[in-house]
């Protein structure tokens, strides 16, 4: 069973960066942006996504960089003391090198720095947190950054109105005596094709055929577009998330209902409402940022905390249960206790800012 328990580690702060540009889903074009089965109003009601933040120029690393720079400054951390950075995204800057290496340099971190990419999506923030917790809990590394998010520049792919762009930064530090984090993880690789971009990797390399449009679940798509088996993913989410949370509580002998807040991956409103119902949760304990930012993949858990809970918990002992689930198929749940944590205002990033969008 994939249960992990890391102590002597805490979250010191969380920040989130989003593009300044807003897109309203009420302006969607029926039959073009969304299925002809939906009006814009019906789409918003079904998904819960009223608007999103999107950019055709900014990469995930740009948004994470903006969030991290602000967080480091507000925490008054000495950059020379940050010894690890983990970058979690489905949209790296390049096939190689790892984007974490680029961010180590751009952030001005020490060269003796552990830098790693994690190519996960919706469950990625929880996985990245466990990676860094394992390093920091020993005390060998005292300060670390978890940078997680997705910005889907769509030069070759029409934007899905369910998804938005965001990058987040979570500061993690060693503190002896902290209760730390308790995890439960799982993977069902038999569903690997439930959410997949079939071309572009080593299995199916990019060719002229990658751009041929073929029908997939009623849509015309090419091989470099992300495709999803909607009903399979829905069934997976509403089944797996409640089971994982219950197993975490049973294994570590605590009542999950005692948590102050439950932060779920922001997949779609119908899915999350079903999870809340199955777990018999008080909806007041389950904040959502989906209506405002859409599905932001691995950014969705920290983005929800920053955008919905700032000013509500920072200076008191607060129990969180966070659960991410999706592409892989994979899932991860973590129980966290926080106190004296710094939560920043949302950092809005302008596409035209010369500090962002650098390319080779």
């Amino acid at each position: 069973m994939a249960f992990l328990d890391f102590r002597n580690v805490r979250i010191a702060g969380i920040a989130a960066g989003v593009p300044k540009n807003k897109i309203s889903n009420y302006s969607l074009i029926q039959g073009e942006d969304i299925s002809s089965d939906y009006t814009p109003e019906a789409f918003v009601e079904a998904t819960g996504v009223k608007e999103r933040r999107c950019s055709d120029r900014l990469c995930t690393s740009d948004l994470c960089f903006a969030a991290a720079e602000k967080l480091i400054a507000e925490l008054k951390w000495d950059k020379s003391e940050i010894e690890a950075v983990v970058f979690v995204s489905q949209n790296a800057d390049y096939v190689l090198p790892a984007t974490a290496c680029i961010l180590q340099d751009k952030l001005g971190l020490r060269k003796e720095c552990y830098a790693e990419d994690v190519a996960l999506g919706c469950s990625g923030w929880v996985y990245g947190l466990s990676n860094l917790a394992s390093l920091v809990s020993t005390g060998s590394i005292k300060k670390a950054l978890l940078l997680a998010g997705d910005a889907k520049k769509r030069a070759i792919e029409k934007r899905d109105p369910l998804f938005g762009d965001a990058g987040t930064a979570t500061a993690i530090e060693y503190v002896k005596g902290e209760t730390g984090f308790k995890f439960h993880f799982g993977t069902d690789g038999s569903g690997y094709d439930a959410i997949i971009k079939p071309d572009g990797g080593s299995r199916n390399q990019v060719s002229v055929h990658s751009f041929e449009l073929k029908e997939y679940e009623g849509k015309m798509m090419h091989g470099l577009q992300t495709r999803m088996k909607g009903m399979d993913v829905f069934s997976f989410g509403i089944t797996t998330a409640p089971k994982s949370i219950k197993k975490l509580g049973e294994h570590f002998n605590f009542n999950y209902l005692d948590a102050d807040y439950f932060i779920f991956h922001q997949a779609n409103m119908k899915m999350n409402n079903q999870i809340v119902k199955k777990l018999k949760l008080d909806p007041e304990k389950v904040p959502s940022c989906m209506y405002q930012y859409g599905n932001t993949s691995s950014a969705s858990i920290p983005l929800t905390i920053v955008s919905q809970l700032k000013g509500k918990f920072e200076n008191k002992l607060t129990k969180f249960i966070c659960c991410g689930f999706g592409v892989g198929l994979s899932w991860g749940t973590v129980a966290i206790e926080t106190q004296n944590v710094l939560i920043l205002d949302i950092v809005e990033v302008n596409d035209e800012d010369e500090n962002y969008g650098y390319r080779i």
Side-chain angles (χ1 to χ4, degrees), residues 44-51 162 260-273 276 282-296 299-310 312 320-321 325 346:
V44 170
E45 183 177 356
T47 63
V49 182
K50 296 180 181 179
E51 64 181 29
L162 184 64
D260 296 295
Y261 294 107
F262 296 82
I263 314 296
F264 297 116
H265 165 55
Q266 303 291 287
N268 69 62
M269 193 58 72
K270 280 189 175 180
M271 182 184 293
N272 285 11
N273 285 344
V276 169
D282 178 356
E284 294 295 318
K285 289 185 171 186
V286 192
S288 173
C289 70
M290 205 178 311
Y291 68 96
Q292 196 174 5
Y293 297 103
N295 181 335
T296 56
S300 66
I301 291 174
L303 179 60
T304 300
I305 294 172
V306 170
S307 64
Q308 305 303 307
L309 296 180
K310 178 176 168 54
K312 296 182 179 180
F320 285 89
I321 291 180
F325 44 88
I346 293 286

Side-chain angles (χ1 to χ4, degrees), residues 39-96:
T39 63
E41 291 75 16
F43 178 86
V44 170
E45 183 177 356
T47 63
V49 182
K50 296 180 181 179
E51 64 181 29
R52 300 160 287 130
R53 301 298 185 96
C54 298
S55 169
D56 290 327
R57 185 168 181 264
L58 297 169
C59 290
T60 310
S61 66
D62 297 323
L63 298 172
C64 288
F65 170 77
E69 278 281 83
K70 184 71 172 175
L71 184 58
I72 293 168
E74 292 294 324
L75 284 170
K76 296 181 172 56
W77 274 13
D78 184 338
K79 287 186 177 182
S80 68
E81 296 179 346
I82 301 172
E83 298 178 274
V85 56
V86 169
F87 175 76
V88 182
S89 184
Q90 297 171 119
N91 291 279
D93 279 15
Y94 307 101
V95 174
L96 57 87

Side-chain angles (χ1 to χ4, degrees), residues 9-22:
V9 59
R10 68 181 289 268
I11 292 176
I14 307 175
V18 298
K20 193 171 184 178
N21 181 49
K22 293 182 183 180

